[in-house]
Amino acid sequence: MTTPEPQPAPITAPALTEAAVLVDPFAPSTKAVRVFAGIGLLLLPVVVVVFVIIVLNQSYSGDGVAGPLVGMAPWAMGVSGVLGLLALILPSDMLTHPARSATVKVQYALAVAAPILAAVDFG
């Protein structure tokens, strides 16, 4: 009587954990994201100066009335500053890396949108 040869174990794909799926190898580190948040905060005064130049230009060169979205621009700049501070100051255990990256992206989007909102003039 012969004993059957042991069969090799079937080859299966390694189990991927949820954390392994979400990790982007090309994503910047948390320190780099914090640096980008700080740079965004340093650029915010430049955005404020551009906003003031646009509003003054509209008031002197046009019909004297600012565009309909001028009131939203200061809010966008303020929220951009708050988001930048949150991304810069909050520790890593309170804010995950993807959330910090998204916060910095929204910070920059709002900072860029503020002068654009001020420049919209339908009249």
Side-chain angles (χ1 to χ4, degrees):
M1 180 177 278
T2 62
T3 58
E5 293 183 24
Q7 298 293 326
I11 299 174
T12 59
L16 294 176
T17 62
E18 185 178 340
V21 173
L22 296 176
V23 173
D24 183 10
F26 301 107
S29 65
T30 301
K31 184 177 179 181
V33 175
R34 288 178 192 250
V35 169
F36 284 128
I39 292 171
L41 287 172
L42 291 176
L43 290 177
L44 203 54
V46 175
V47 171
V48 171
V49 169
V50 170
F51 165 74
V52 169
I53 290 171
I54 289 171
V55 170
L56 288 176
N57 186 24
Q58 285 180 351
S59 67
Y60 283 114
S61 66
D63 54 0
V65 179
L69 300 176
V70 164
M72 292 177 62
W75 283 100
M77 290 182 288
V79 172
S80 173
V82 169
L83 289 176
L85 283 174
L86 288 176
L88 185 65
I89 294 174
L90 287 179
S92 295
D93 58 346
M94 289 185 70
L95 191 63
T96 63
H97 183 72
R100 189 181 309 275
S101 297
T103 302
V104 172
K105 289 175 187 174
V106 173
Q107 172 195 8
Y108 276 88
L110 288 173
V112 169
I116 294 171
L117 287 172
V120 173
D121 191 7
F122 297 120

